[in-house]
Amino acid sequence: MTIQTRQSLVLETPAASPEQTHRHYMNKLAVETDVADVRYDMQHGLNDFLLIDVRSEKAFTECHIPGAISLPSREISAETTAEFDKEQTIVVYCWGPACNGATKGAARLSGLGFKVKEMLGGMEYWRKEGNEVEGTLGEAAPIVG
């Protein structure tokens, strides 16, 4: 008779040291922000960052976050960002958690020498949290692309 012992899948790989864990999460916070933090800063006049919607121009025109500018991720280049201030942090967003457009945009912008944070949740969670939008369709716009 064989006795099976169960092994924890959680503990199969040992946890990192507190120092490694702290460094990991601080590094993560250095490149990410979320909808609530962006909204808070905007409400309190603390938006010293440039907010860029990296979705298509059509999606932006239909519905976007007030104050955002449109720069689709595929169009990010030295030429299209020539007037941006490299000292100003840029916050990018796309459709939502299932979209990697903001990740691509952040990669392109950081490759050009900009400080960038990705807004987790994107437009989907901006709207789910009841925040204001503007555009030709506004609230009637599709929530995902």
Side-chain angles (χ1 to χ4, degrees):
M1 180 164 148
T2 305
I3 298 176
Q4 286 187 334
T5 56
R6 293 180 188 228
Q7 184 176 7
S8 169
L9 298 179
V10 172
L11 302 177
E12 178 178 45
T13 303
S17 70
E19 295 81 12
Q20 289 172 311
T21 302
H22 180 72
R23 190 170 42 256
H24 167 79
Y25 286 109
M26 291 307 293
N27 287 335
K28 199 172 170 183
L29 289 171
V31 296
E32 296 175 348
T33 189
D34 66 15
V35 166
D37 290 349
V38 170
R39 181 63 180 146
Y40 176 90
D41 280 8
M42 291 173 75
Q43 285 178 323
H44 293 91
L46 303 170
N47 49 329
D48 292 334
F49 51 86
L50 178 61
L51 184 60
I52 299 180
D53 185 322
V54 298
R55 301 173 304 146
S56 70
E57 184 65 39
K58 177 182 182 290
F60 177 84
T61 299
E62 291 176 350
C63 182
H64 60 271
I65 298 171
I69 66 166
S70 177
L71 181 56
S73 61
R74 288 190 175 118
E75 296 176 19
I76 295 171
S77 68
E79 294 75 31
T80 61
T81 61
E83 299 201 16
F84 294 173
D85 179 356
K86 294 221 173 159
E87 295 306 309
Q88 183 179 38
T89 298
I90 297 173
V91 174
V92 294
Y93 71 90
C94 60
W95 286 103
C99 174
N100 68 0
T103 303
K104 291 175 181 178
R108 288 188 176 116
L109 287 162
S110 62
L112 292 169
F114 293 98
K115 299 183 292 186
V116 188
K117 288 192 174 204
E118 178 180 4
M119 185 181 81
L120 301 177
M123 196 64 185
E124 178 181 354
Y125 278 78
W126 182 267
R127 290 178 62 188
K128 281 185 177 183
E129 292 184 19
N131 295 313
E132 181 183 352
V133 295
E134 56 188 26
T136 58
L137 296 180
E139 290 294 331
I143 198 137
V144 293

